[in-house]
Amino acid sequence: MTEPPVIVWLDRSGALLRLRLARPQANVLDSAMIAALDAELARNENDDGLKGALIDAEGRNFSYGASVEEHRPGRCADMPRALHGLVRRIAAYPVPVMFAVHGQCLGGALEVASAGHLIFAAANAKFGQPEIKLGVFAPAASCILPERIGRMVAEDLLISGRSISADTANAMGLVASVSIDPEGAALAYFDEHLAPKSASSLRYAVAATREAFTRRLDQELDRVERLYLDELMATHDAAEGIAAFLDKLCYGR
């Protein structure tokens, strides 16, 4: 029997939805994992008693990002659209979505995490959008990061493809805190700041702070998705970059 890609449970007397990535070697966000995350978030979003969600991961790394294999030209449209659907759901979620990150949080994983409300990082966490190194770019991050950390800093990460430490991400405002135990830090935040609040009032507060952002994200993501799928993926450089990465991954060349 195949193990599910995401472990799901309700914590804090049902007030906190827990989602844990469960492909611990790299926790690659393939179509199965994206679908599982999206389905569980959708299934619980209308629970009147829900006050938050926390997404973390098994293994040494949070996630190396979206499946490159599923980005091959000719079969790449479904993956970005599914990932962007998950990003949209998290950005518009009616209660705060928190992330506890350790190890690598790269590419599509950072796009998903940055769509949420708060990221709690381990000291060993690394964040980056390395897509440019494969000859492509990060559509959702191109829309989200400038709003979250400012245009100049976001453009540096997006065009360089470099990774940054947890402390640097904290100084940029990308992560809320850095600690030995990011899961514990997220749970402590929930217990102190979310659990005592009225569930309905919390939803109104989240809607008030997020509605304008999610409208802008919807519009901008439609635009950059077309740029990515209709133009970039038709270029030789994109196809060659992805093929070279997969060749190196499979054969170590």
Side-chain angles (χ1 to χ4, degrees):
M1 182 177 178
T2 304
E3 294 294 326
V6 178
I7 299 170
V8 184
W9 74 101
L10 288 171
D11 198 358
R12 291 342 194 228
S13 301
L16 179 63
L17 174 64
R18 300 291 304 271
L19 301 165
R20 178 164 291 163
L21 310 187
R23 298 262 176 84
Q25 186 172 357
N27 287 315
V28 171
L29 292 172
D30 60 12
S31 56
M33 184 175 282
I34 291 170
L37 286 168
D38 191 64
E40 291 299 335
L41 287 165
R43 190 167 68 87
N44 288 276
E45 67 183 355
N46 294 320
D47 180 347
D48 291 339
L50 197 68
K51 297 182 180 182
L54 172 58
I55 300 175
D56 60 18
E58 292 184 346
R60 296 176 59 185
N61 297 290
F62 180 78
S63 173
Y64 275 83
S67 169
V68 178
E69 174 68 30
E70 295 180 31
H71 274 81
R72 286 181 185 272
R75 54 175 295 194
C76 68
D78 291 343
M79 162 58 74
R81 286 173 179 149
L83 181 66
H84 296 164
L86 176 61
V87 164
R88 292 175 201 264
R89 186 178 299 282
I90 290 172
Y93 212 61
V95 296
V97 181
M98 302 176 292
F99 289 80
V101 172
H102 59 276
Q104 302 288 341
C105 179
L106 304 175
L110 180 52
E111 291 183 300
V112 168
S114 62
H117 298 77
L118 295 165
I119 301 173
F120 297 86
N124 72 343
K126 299 287 185 183
F127 300 89
Q129 299 290 167
E131 288 86 348
I132 192 68
K133 297 179 180 180
L134 277 67
V136 294
F137 69 89
S142 299
C143 303
I144 297 170
L145 289 183
E147 295 223 16
R148 185 160 188 143
I149 58 176
R151 181 158 301 280
M152 183 180 71
V153 177
E155 287 177 347
D156 166 34
L157 296 180
L158 291 163
I159 65 177
S160 72
R162 70 186 181 98
S163 291
I164 57 173
S165 68
D167 286 336
T168 300
N170 182 232
M172 289 178 176
L174 180 61
V175 306
S177 71
V178 180
S179 65
I180 296 173
D181 178 13
E183 178 191 352
L187 292 172
Y189 182 92
F190 179 86
D191 291 341
E192 180 177 356
H193 298 294
L194 302 183
K197 304 297 190 300
S198 155
S200 61
S201 296
L202 192 59
R203 286 173 178 257
Y204 283 115
V206 168
T209 60
R210 282 259 161 165
E211 280 184 353
F213 164 64
T214 55
R215 283 198 301 271
R216 290 193 300 273
L217 177 60
D218 275 339
Q219 294 172 355
E220 284 299 296
L221 200 45
D222 283 343
R223 179 183 64 83
V224 297
E225 189 177 282
R226 289 194 299 271
L227 183 66
Y228 186 94
L229 293 175
D230 298 343
E231 299 185 38
L232 174 71
M233 293 309 293
T235 67
H236 172 75
D237 287 348
E240 187 178 64
I242 290 172
F245 176 85
L246 292 171
D247 187 54
K248 183 178 179 180
L249 188 66
C250 293
Y251 303 108
R253 294 204 292 259

